[in-house]
Amino acid sequence: MWLKINNYRIMKKSIVFLTGLLCVMISCNDKKEASITLDTLISEDYTAYGDTVTSDTIYYQSAIAEHYENLTEGDTIDVSFISTVNAVCKAKGCWMKVALDKDRESMIKFRNYGFFVPKDIENDTVIVQGKAFVSEVSVEEQRHFASDAGKSEDEIIAITKPKKTYSFIAEGVLIKK
């Protein structure tokens, strides 16, 4: 009888232990979330440009890269995402390039040329809300952007082919202070 009770206690403790272990494994899953909410970021300090960013879902840059992969020229999606600024227009702050992953970036322009961002925000964290799309950028436009970015004359002349780009028209931008 004592052996049955002892085996029962051992089995009960084993079940509790295994259930706890399973819960820990699920909560420690390495899979990263694809997005965060604006409420999560409220505690952080951002400066707003353009319209108010109101999106409930803000995607991480890696998730946005996947969205762009599924777009063809002519497709548009309304989306918000958080990323890092790789480059900004040095003349006016009228465009910026933000990272999608280590090899790709999105060219951000501002709706109706209605607002600009500071010219010194390279490497800053931004949240953009607007329309993502894929487009082809002409040689002339690429050279214009290269000139705005302060590229050398040799770098500008080296641009000789139209380029497929991941484009974005921002309605609102938040820049982390």
Side-chain angles (χ1 to χ4, degrees):
M1 175 89 175
W2 181 81
L3 187 58
K4 284 185 179 181
I5 292 172
N6 208 20
N7 283 343
Y8 175 75
R9 286 182 185 158
I10 292 171
M11 189 181 332
K12 187 176 175 183
K13 287 180 181 179
S14 296
I15 290 172
V16 170
F17 173 76
L18 291 174
T19 302
L21 182 62
L22 180 62
C23 289
V24 168
M25 288 172 54
I26 290 170
S27 67
C28 291
N29 188 353
D30 284 340
K31 183 177 178 187
K32 292 184 180 178
E33 293 295 320
S35 65
I36 55 176
T37 64
L38 193 55
D39 291 341
T40 305
L41 298 171
I42 292 295
S43 63
E44 297 185 29
D45 202 9
Y46 285 85
T47 303
Y49 296 86
D51 291 346
T52 303
V53 174
T54 58
S55 181
D56 288 336
T57 304
I58 300 169
Y59 291 95
Y60 292 112
Q61 65 191 43
S62 58
I64 277 300
E66 291 176 25
H67 282 286
Y68 272 116
E69 284 298 318
N70 295 323
L71 294 176
T72 59
E73 198 163 350
D75 292 342
T76 303
I77 57 170
D78 291 317
V79 69
S80 296
F81 70 97
I82 188 167
S83 188
T84 304
V85 177
N86 287 345
V88 65
C89 172
K90 298 299 182 195
K92 297 181 193 176
C94 59
W95 57 262
M96 63 183 169
K97 292 181 180 181
V98 300
L100 295 177
D101 56 29
K102 70 177 190 165
D103 298 322
R104 296 178 293 178
E105 57 190 9
S106 179
M107 175 61 142
I108 312 287
K109 295 181 184 176
F110 309 110
R111 187 182 57 176
N112 298 327
Y113 217 55
F115 64 96
F116 303 124
V117 295
K119 298 179 275 187
D120 62 349
I121 60 169
E122 288 173 352
N123 300 312
D124 286 358
T125 299
V126 295
I127 297 171
V128 293
Q129 178 176 299
K131 298 187 181 311
F133 57 98
V134 175
S135 63
E136 186 173 283
V137 180
S138 69
V139 170
E140 181 180 309
E141 193 171 10
Q142 287 181 70
R143 287 180 173 177
H144 172 79
F145 293 143
S147 175
D148 283 353
K151 300 289 183 182
S152 71
E153 192 62 34
D154 289 341
E155 290 172 301
I156 293 169
I157 292 171
I159 300 170
T160 60
K161 294 181 184 177
K163 177 182 170 186
K164 176 183 173 182
T165 61
Y166 300 123
S167 300
F168 195 92
I169 300 295
E171 297 164 0
V173 175
L174 296 174
I175 302 173
K176 190 171 184 176
K177 291 181 182 178

